[in-house]
Amino acid sequence: MPDCLFCKIVAGEIPATVVAEDDQVLAFKDINPQAPVHVLVIPKRHIANTATATESDEPLIGHVLRMGCRVAVEAGVDESGFRLVLNRGPDSGEAVPHLHLHVLGGRRLAWPPG
Ligand code: 5GP
Ligand code: ZN
């Protein structure tokens, strides 16, 4: 999608520190990390968000989730624990309208979230 920041990262037009990739998804370090491990996992195909996703998007969203867990294991935070976050809408702080899963770990994360 033109003018989508994360589509530009997928296209290689904006650099990112990629930690994992396959034909469907890309995982890269968040530019403003909120934890020692903070990776974003996105579908390479533009999906706006989980709220507008369709049934046909379900396998891809499931794949994003599995890649998030793989990234956590490879970052060494599976035993200490990690959090997967999908923000949606202004109250969540969502800023980029291309579906992205936050993988957060490496420190104790507060609950309830701030
Ligand atoms: P949201 O608040 O929409 O759930 O999360 C968007 C995330 O994208 C934020 O954590 C922000 O730091 C990250 N981000 C924004 N622009 C860039 C960028 O150009 N490169 C990378 N790697 N992360 C970005
Ligand atoms: Zn996009």
Side-chain angles (χ1 to χ4, degrees):
M1 173 160 292
D3 297 330
C4 170
L5 176 66
F6 288 171
C7 281
K8 287 181 178 169
I9 286 178
V10 170
E13 292 166 16
I14 293 175
T17 305
V18 172
V19 299
E21 179 176 14
D22 66 16
D23 57 328
Q24 297 180 72
V25 301
L26 186 69
F28 54 96
K29 291 187 178 178
D30 195 292
I31 204 168
N32 183 24
Q34 301 302 312
V37 175
H38 189 174
V39 171
L40 302 173
V41 184
I42 65 171
K44 289 187 170 177
R45 174 166 66 79
H46 184 93
I47 297 176
N49 57 65
T50 39
T52 57
T54 64
E55 192 176 346
S56 65
D57 295 324
E58 285 180 11
L60 182 53
I61 293 170
H63 192 64
V64 167
L65 283 174
R66 286 214 322 131
M67 179 61 95
C69 293
R70 194 186 113 188
V71 164
V73 168
E74 288 176 0
V77 295
D78 188 40
E79 277 194 25
S80 54
F82 61 93
R83 187 172 293 166
L84 303 178
V85 174
L86 286 166
N87 287 323
R88 166 63 183 154
D91 277 355
S92 74
E94 181 191 30
V96 182
H98 178 132
L99 190 147
H100 51 281
L101 179 72
H102 295 258
V103 183
L104 294 152
R107 68 169 173 84
R108 183 59 66 100
L109 300 165
W111 192 264

